[in-house]
Amino acid sequence: MSELLKILGSKYPIIQGPIGELNSPDMVAAVCEAGGFGMLALGFTRDMETIKKMITEVRELTDKPFGANLMIAMNPANDQILEILAEAGIKTVTTSAGSPKKIYPKIHELGMKGLHVALDFSFALKAADAGADGLVVSGCESGGLRTMNPESSNMVLIPLVCDHVEVPVVATGGIADSRGYRAVLALGAQGAQIGTRFLSSAESPATQAWKEAILNCPDGGTTLLPLGGMSVRAIINPRLAEKMNDSSIDLSKEYSMMNMGEAWRSGNFDLFPAGGGQVSASITEIKSVKNIIEEMVS
């Protein structure tokens, strides 16, 4: 058994990528029941009763281990959340968007393990030095929040990080089937975190409009949308394409991150474009989580 599987406790080293506030106990349980490691996305959640309710609902659907993602710099309630998770018997979390130095002492004090998300080589090394028990290394092809700096793809980043850290590495970005899964294992990762492919699954709570945006995304159909000091990979729609082609428009002022949640929950992508990784171009049908995982590990 790999060190990663010891940390996760799941059958397969496949982690559900957390996406904003897109929480579904049914989805988390489906991933767990299919052998993966389901995740609640708690980056923006501050209501402790809501968190307790979601944990209870997942527990009613599966007896398999699952975890949660915490966004370090964006949620002042993380210490309380960790205590609730530990009390509920959750052993492993992922952390992102902030310095792991701020949160790993608490994680370890509670007897938990944590995997920190790193978008480049230098931050991966710093996270390992800061006490992260593992790393989720996210290449530039990934969906979600990104930096404004030049970034490497997983073909470069995964082996580079694996050559310089002793903790287990999970790859995320560009993985939608068994070919991508086998590729990142060959590069040195011990597992994969899957975002866009699970987002477009049958059990996903994403709107039909969001799933269709992924299914209809062509090669080159995503872009890094600037949001001040960070960016987000978004699927280009007609309104966004029009703005991109207008040299007088500053895209960093056209869209607000404050509207992201509402847009993604409602499917109103004129308000804020749908999120998705570059791998969206290779996703052509809706499948169940079980079928996705079974094909991936076949």
mmCIF file of all heavy atoms in Angstrom, residues 194-229:
data_model
loop_
_atom_site.group_PDB
_atom_site.id
_atom_site.type_symbol
_atom_site.label_atom_id
_atom_site.label_comp_id
_atom_site.label_asym_id
_atom_site.label_seq_id
_atom_site.Cartn_x
_atom_site.Cartn_y
_atom_site.Cartn_z
ATOM 1 N N ILE A 194 -9.336 14.667 -9.036
ATOM 2 C CA ILE A 194 -10.157 14.844 -10.234
ATOM 3 C C ILE A 194 -11.196 15.942 -9.991
ATOM 4 O O ILE A 194 -12.028 15.828 -9.090
ATOM 5 C CB ILE A 194 -10.879 13.526 -10.599
ATOM 6 C CG1 ILE A 194 -9.882 12.354 -10.665
ATOM 7 C CG2 ILE A 194 -11.634 13.686 -11.909
ATOM 8 C CD1 ILE A 194 -8.776 12.521 -11.664
ATOM 9 N N GLY A 195 -11.154 16.992 -10.795
ATOM 10 C CA GLY A 195 -12.094 18.090 -10.643
ATOM 11 C C GLY A 195 -13.134 18.128 -11.749
ATOM 12 O O GLY A 195 -14.291 17.749 -11.560
ATOM 13 N N THR A 196 -12.721 18.566 -12.946
ATOM 14 C CA THR A 196 -13.667 18.798 -14.037
ATOM 15 C C THR A 196 -14.424 17.531 -14.439
ATOM 16 O O THR A 196 -15.621 17.581 -14.726
ATOM 17 C CB THR A 196 -12.930 19.386 -15.251
ATOM 18 O OG1 THR A 196 -12.209 20.560 -14.854
ATOM 19 C CG2 THR A 196 -13.904 19.758 -16.353
ATOM 20 N N ARG A 197 -13.733 16.368 -14.444
ATOM 21 C CA ARG A 197 -14.424 15.140 -14.872
ATOM 22 C C ARG A 197 -15.531 14.764 -13.902
ATOM 23 O O ARG A 197 -16.621 14.352 -14.321
ATOM 24 C CB ARG A 197 -13.420 13.968 -14.991
ATOM 25 C CG ARG A 197 -14.057 12.716 -15.645
ATOM 26 C CD ARG A 197 -14.528 13.058 -17.044
ATOM 27 N NE ARG A 197 -15.340 12.066 -17.718
ATOM 28 C CZ ARG A 197 -16.657 12.143 -17.894
ATOM 29 N NH1 ARG A 197 -17.348 13.125 -17.335
ATOM 30 N NH2 ARG A 197 -17.310 11.247 -18.603
ATOM 31 N N PHE A 198 -15.288 14.912 -12.599
ATOM 32 C CA PHE A 198 -16.351 14.647 -11.629
ATOM 33 C C PHE A 198 -17.414 15.736 -11.668
ATOM 34 O O PHE A 198 -18.589 15.469 -11.431
ATOM 35 C CB PHE A 198 -15.769 14.545 -10.214
ATOM 36 C CG PHE A 198 -15.083 13.238 -9.904
ATOM 37 C CD1 PHE A 198 -14.191 13.140 -8.860
ATOM 38 C CD2 PHE A 198 -15.346 12.090 -10.645
ATOM 39 C CE1 PHE A 198 -13.559 11.937 -8.556
ATOM 40 C CE2 PHE A 198 -14.725 10.877 -10.359
ATOM 41 C CZ PHE A 198 -13.821 10.803 -9.304
ATOM 42 N N LEU A 199 -17.011 16.956 -11.967
ATOM 43 C CA LEU A 199 -17.968 18.060 -12.062
ATOM 44 C C LEU A 199 -19.017 17.772 -13.134
ATOM 45 O O LEU A 199 -20.183 18.143 -12.993
ATOM 46 C CB LEU A 199 -17.222 19.355 -12.387
ATOM 47 C CG LEU A 199 -18.026 20.639 -12.562
ATOM 48 C CD1 LEU A 199 -18.724 21.017 -11.264
ATOM 49 C CD2 LEU A 199 -17.118 21.770 -13.031
ATOM 50 N N SER A 200 -18.608 17.067 -14.182
ATOM 51 C CA SER A 200 -19.527 16.761 -15.282
ATOM 52 C C SER A 200 -20.102 15.350 -15.183
ATOM 53 O O SER A 200 -20.579 14.797 -16.179
ATOM 54 C CB SER A 200 -18.795 16.921 -16.627
ATOM 55 O OG SER A 200 -17.646 16.093 -16.681
ATOM 56 N N SER A 201 -20.073 14.768 -13.986
ATOM 57 C CA SER A 201 -20.625 13.423 -13.785
ATOM 58 C C SER A 201 -22.133 13.471 -13.572
ATOM 59 O O SER A 201 -22.718 14.538 -13.329
ATOM 60 C CB SER A 201 -19.964 12.758 -12.579
ATOM 61 O OG SER A 201 -20.356 13.399 -11.376
ATOM 62 N N ALA A 202 -22.755 12.310 -13.597
ATOM 63 C CA ALA A 202 -24.204 12.231 -13.390
ATOM 64 C C ALA A 202 -24.602 12.690 -11.997
ATOM 65 O O ALA A 202 -25.659 13.315 -11.816
ATOM 66 C CB ALA A 202 -24.675 10.795 -13.629
ATOM 67 N N GLU A 203 -23.773 12.390 -10.997
ATOM 68 C CA GLU A 203 -24.108 12.740 -9.615
ATOM 69 C C GLU A 203 -23.748 14.170 -9.234
ATOM 70 O O GLU A 203 -24.121 14.645 -8.164
ATOM 71 C CB GLU A 203 -23.392 11.782 -8.647
ATOM 72 C CG GLU A 203 -23.833 10.342 -8.726
ATOM 73 C CD GLU A 203 -23.045 9.543 -9.739
ATOM 74 O OE1 GLU A 203 -22.349 10.156 -10.587
ATOM 75 O OE2 GLU A 203 -23.118 8.306 -9.683
ATOM 76 N N SER A 204 -23.026 14.848 -10.086
ATOM 77 C CA SER A 204 -22.586 16.209 -9.767
ATOM 78 C C SER A 204 -23.769 17.151 -9.562
ATOM 79 O O SER A 204 -24.739 17.116 -10.328
ATOM 80 C CB SER A 204 -21.713 16.747 -10.899
ATOM 81 O OG SER A 204 -21.511 18.143 -10.764
ATOM 82 N N PRO A 205 -23.694 18.023 -8.534
ATOM 83 C CA PRO A 205 -24.771 18.993 -8.322
ATOM 84 C C PRO A 205 -24.677 20.208 -9.239
ATOM 85 O O PRO A 205 -25.497 21.120 -9.143
ATOM 86 C CB PRO A 205 -24.569 19.406 -6.859
ATOM 87 C CG PRO A 205 -23.091 19.276 -6.640
ATOM 88 C CD PRO A 205 -22.681 18.071 -7.464
ATOM 89 N N ALA A 206 -23.698 20.226 -10.144
ATOM 90 C CA ALA A 206 -23.582 21.338 -11.092
ATOM 91 C C ALA A 206 -24.831 21.418 -11.960
ATOM 92 O O ALA A 206 -25.467 20.404 -12.258
ATOM 93 C CB ALA A 206 -22.344 21.149 -11.972
ATOM 94 N N THR A 207 -25.179 22.623 -12.359
ATOM 95 C CA THR A 207 -26.343 22.804 -13.225
ATOM 96 C C THR A 207 -26.122 22.126 -14.576
ATOM 97 O O THR A 207 -24.978 21.904 -14.996
ATOM 98 C CB THR A 207 -26.609 24.299 -13.471
ATOM 99 O OG1 THR A 207 -25.473 24.865 -14.157
ATOM 100 C CG2 THR A 207 -26.836 25.049 -12.172
ATOM 101 N N GLN A 208 -27.210 21.829 -15.251
ATOM 102 C CA GLN A 208 -27.106 21.241 -16.591
ATOM 103 C C GLN A 208 -26.360 22.175 -17.534
ATOM 104 O O GLN A 208 -25.588 21.720 -18.395
ATOM 105 C CB GLN A 208 -28.498 20.926 -17.144
ATOM 106 C CG GLN A 208 -28.500 20.175 -18.465
ATOM 107 C CD GLN A 208 -27.841 18.807 -18.367
ATOM 108 O OE1 GLN A 208 -27.843 18.169 -17.317
ATOM 109 N NE2 GLN A 208 -27.257 18.354 -19.473
ATOM 110 N N ALA A 209 -26.558 23.479 -17.353
ATOM 111 C CA ALA A 209 -25.875 24.457 -18.202
ATOM 112 C C ALA A 209 -24.364 24.367 -18.025
ATOM 113 O O ALA A 209 -23.602 24.497 -18.993
ATOM 114 C CB ALA A 209 -26.365 25.868 -17.870
ATOM 115 N N TRP A 210 -23.912 24.126 -16.785
ATOM 116 C CA TRP A 210 -22.478 24.015 -16.521
ATOM 117 C C TRP A 210 -21.932 22.737 -17.157
ATOM 118 O O TRP A 210 -20.878 22.741 -17.793
ATOM 119 C CB TRP A 210 -22.241 24.014 -15.010
ATOM 120 C CG TRP A 210 -20.816 24.282 -14.592
ATOM 121 C CD1 TRP A 210 -19.705 24.307 -15.396
ATOM 122 C CD2 TRP A 210 -20.350 24.575 -13.274
ATOM 123 N NE1 TRP A 210 -18.584 24.581 -14.649
ATOM 124 C CE2 TRP A 210 -18.950 24.753 -13.354
ATOM 125 C CE3 TRP A 210 -20.991 24.688 -12.037
ATOM 126 C CZ2 TRP A 210 -18.174 25.042 -12.223
ATOM 127 C CZ3 TRP A 210 -20.223 24.984 -10.915
ATOM 128 C CH2 TRP A 210 -18.830 25.175 -11.012
ATOM 129 N N LYS A 211 -22.651 21.634 -16.991
ATOM 130 C CA LYS A 211 -22.205 20.378 -17.593
ATOM 131 C C LYS A 211 -22.132 20.506 -19.112
ATOM 132 O O LYS A 211 -21.198 20.013 -19.757
ATOM 133 C CB LYS A 211 -23.137 19.237 -17.187
ATOM 134 C CG LYS A 211 -23.084 18.919 -15.697
ATOM 135 C CD LYS A 211 -24.034 17.790 -15.314
ATOM 136 C CE LYS A 211 -24.030 17.557 -13.809
ATOM 137 N NZ LYS A 211 -24.903 16.439 -13.398
ATOM 138 N N GLU A 212 -23.114 21.185 -19.712
ATOM 139 C CA GLU A 212 -23.111 21.356 -21.164
ATOM 140 C C GLU A 212 -21.966 22.251 -21.614
ATOM 141 O O GLU A 212 -21.394 22.046 -22.694
ATOM 142 C CB GLU A 212 -24.450 21.923 -21.620
ATOM 143 C CG GLU A 212 -25.595 20.909 -21.513
ATOM 144 C CD GLU A 212 -26.940 21.492 -21.864
ATOM 145 O OE1 GLU A 212 -27.003 22.701 -22.222
ATOM 146 O OE2 GLU A 212 -27.952 20.761 -21.795
ATOM 147 N N ALA A 213 -21.609 23.241 -20.790
ATOM 148 C CA ALA A 213 -20.464 24.097 -21.118
ATOM 149 C C ALA A 213 -19.184 23.273 -21.203
ATOM 150 O O ALA A 213 -18.334 23.500 -22.077
ATOM 151 C CB ALA A 213 -20.333 25.208 -20.075
ATOM 152 N N ILE A 214 -19.048 22.294 -20.300
ATOM 153 C CA ILE A 214 -17.881 21.406 -20.326
ATOM 154 C C ILE A 214 -17.929 20.506 -21.556
ATOM 155 O O ILE A 214 -16.944 20.370 -22.294
ATOM 156 C CB ILE A 214 -17.819 20.570 -19.034
ATOM 157 C CG1 ILE A 214 -17.543 21.480 -17.827
ATOM 158 C CG2 ILE A 214 -16.745 19.487 -19.143
ATOM 159 C CD1 ILE A 214 -17.702 20.789 -16.482
ATOM 160 N N LEU A 215 -19.078 19.875 -21.798
ATOM 161 C CA LEU A 215 -19.209 18.951 -22.926
ATOM 162 C C LEU A 215 -18.971 19.631 -24.266
ATOM 163 O O LEU A 215 -18.477 19.017 -25.213
ATOM 164 C CB LEU A 215 -20.603 18.311 -22.926
ATOM 165 C CG LEU A 215 -20.966 17.411 -21.749
ATOM 166 C CD1 LEU A 215 -22.371 16.856 -21.923
ATOM 167 C CD2 LEU A 215 -19.976 16.275 -21.591
ATOM 168 N N ASN A 216 -19.333 20.905 -24.359
ATOM 169 C CA ASN A 216 -19.219 21.642 -25.625
ATOM 170 C C ASN A 216 -17.920 22.423 -25.746
ATOM 171 O O ASN A 216 -17.703 23.116 -26.743
ATOM 172 C CB ASN A 216 -20.402 22.602 -25.777
ATOM 173 C CG ASN A 216 -21.729 21.873 -25.900
ATOM 174 O OD1 ASN A 216 -21.789 20.795 -26.478
ATOM 175 N ND2 ASN A 216 -22.790 22.447 -25.346
ATOM 176 N N CYS A 217 -17.035 22.307 -24.767
ATOM 177 C CA CYS A 217 -15.789 23.079 -24.776
ATOM 178 C C CYS A 217 -14.816 22.494 -25.805
ATOM 179 O O CYS A 217 -14.466 21.313 -25.725
ATOM 180 C CB CYS A 217 -15.161 23.053 -23.385
ATOM 181 S SG CYS A 217 -13.610 23.979 -23.260
ATOM 182 N N PRO A 218 -14.356 23.292 -26.758
ATOM 183 C CA PRO A 218 -13.397 22.789 -27.752
ATOM 184 C C PRO A 218 -11.965 22.881 -27.234
ATOM 185 O O PRO A 218 -11.714 23.463 -26.169
ATOM 186 C CB PRO A 218 -13.598 23.753 -28.930
ATOM 187 C CG PRO A 218 -13.930 25.060 -28.252
ATOM 188 C CD PRO A 218 -14.747 24.699 -27.031
ATOM 189 N N ASP A 219 -11.036 22.310 -27.971
ATOM 190 C CA ASP A 219 -9.625 22.491 -27.643
ATOM 191 C C ASP A 219 -9.308 23.989 -27.679
ATOM 192 O O ASP A 219 -9.708 24.706 -28.596
ATOM 193 C CB ASP A 219 -8.766 21.750 -28.670
ATOM 194 C CG ASP A 219 -7.281 21.908 -28.392
ATOM 195 O OD1 ASP A 219 -6.895 21.914 -27.214
ATOM 196 O OD2 ASP A 219 -6.508 22.032 -29.367
ATOM 197 N N GLY A 220 -8.624 24.467 -26.670
ATOM 198 C CA GLY A 220 -8.347 25.900 -26.581
ATOM 199 C C GLY A 220 -9.542 26.701 -26.123
ATOM 200 O O GLY A 220 -9.546 27.934 -26.236
ATOM 201 N N GLY A 221 -10.551 26.015 -25.585
ATOM 202 C CA GLY A 221 -11.795 26.684 -25.213
ATOM 203 C C GLY A 221 -11.838 27.237 -23.805
ATOM 204 O O GLY A 221 -12.905 27.653 -23.344
ATOM 205 N N THR A 222 -10.702 27.236 -23.103
ATOM 206 C CA THR A 222 -10.648 27.863 -21.777
ATOM 207 C C THR A 222 -9.610 28.971 -21.784
ATOM 208 O O THR A 222 -8.737 29.019 -22.660
ATOM 209 C CB THR A 222 -10.282 26.848 -20.670
ATOM 210 O OG1 THR A 222 -8.905 26.456 -20.817
ATOM 211 C CG2 THR A 222 -11.176 25.624 -20.725
ATOM 212 N N THR A 223 -9.706 29.840 -20.807
ATOM 213 C CA THR A 223 -8.721 30.912 -20.663
ATOM 214 C C THR A 223 -8.527 31.211 -19.189
ATOM 215 O O THR A 223 -9.376 30.865 -18.360
ATOM 216 C CB THR A 223 -9.174 32.188 -21.395
ATOM 217 O OG1 THR A 223 -8.106 33.145 -21.412
ATOM 218 C CG2 THR A 223 -10.386 32.821 -20.707
ATOM 219 N N LEU A 224 -7.401 31.827 -18.861
ATOM 220 C CA LEU A 224 -7.172 32.278 -17.493
ATOM 221 C C LEU A 224 -7.733 33.691 -17.367
ATOM 222 O O LEU A 224 -7.219 34.632 -17.977
ATOM 223 C CB LEU A 224 -5.678 32.255 -17.152
ATOM 224 C CG LEU A 224 -5.076 30.861 -16.996
ATOM 225 C CD1 LEU A 224 -3.564 30.956 -16.776
ATOM 226 C CD2 LEU A 224 -5.719 30.107 -15.836
ATOM 227 N N LEU A 225 -8.801 33.806 -16.607
ATOM 228 C CA LEU A 225 -9.488 35.077 -16.440
ATOM 229 C C LEU A 225 -8.862 35.835 -15.272
ATOM 230 O O LEU A 225 -8.858 35.340 -14.138
ATOM 231 C CB LEU A 225 -10.969 34.813 -16.162
ATOM 232 C CG LEU A 225 -11.931 35.995 -16.180
ATOM 233 C CD1 LEU A 225 -11.977 36.627 -17.559
ATOM 234 C CD2 LEU A 225 -13.316 35.527 -15.757
ATOM 235 N N PRO A 226 -8.299 37.022 -15.492
ATOM 236 C CA PRO A 226 -7.632 37.752 -14.405
ATOM 237 C C PRO A 226 -8.623 38.315 -13.394
ATOM 238 O O PRO A 226 -9.672 38.853 -13.761
ATOM 239 C CB PRO A 226 -6.898 38.885 -15.137
ATOM 240 C CG PRO A 226 -7.682 39.108 -16.394
ATOM 241 C CD PRO A 226 -8.226 37.747 -16.773
ATOM 242 N N LEU A 227 -8.283 38.166 -12.109
ATOM 243 C CA LEU A 227 -9.131 38.655 -11.020
ATOM 244 C C LEU A 227 -8.262 39.412 -10.010
ATOM 245 O O LEU A 227 -8.152 39.031 -8.853
ATOM 246 C CB LEU A 227 -9.840 37.488 -10.326
ATOM 247 C CG LEU A 227 -10.808 36.658 -11.158
ATOM 248 C CD1 LEU A 227 -11.259 35.438 -10.383
ATOM 249 C CD2 LEU A 227 -12.017 37.506 -11.564
ATOM 250 N N GLY A 228 -7.615 40.457 -10.457
ATOM 251 C CA GLY A 228 -6.740 41.186 -9.558
ATOM 252 C C GLY A 228 -5.444 40.426 -9.360
ATOM 253 O O GLY A 228 -4.679 40.220 -10.294
ATOM 254 N N GLY A 229 -5.209 39.939 -8.128
ATOM 255 C CA GLY A 229 -3.958 39.255 -7.830
ATOM 256 C C GLY A 229 -3.965 37.785 -8.151
ATOM 257 O O GLY A 229 -2.982 37.081 -7.901
#
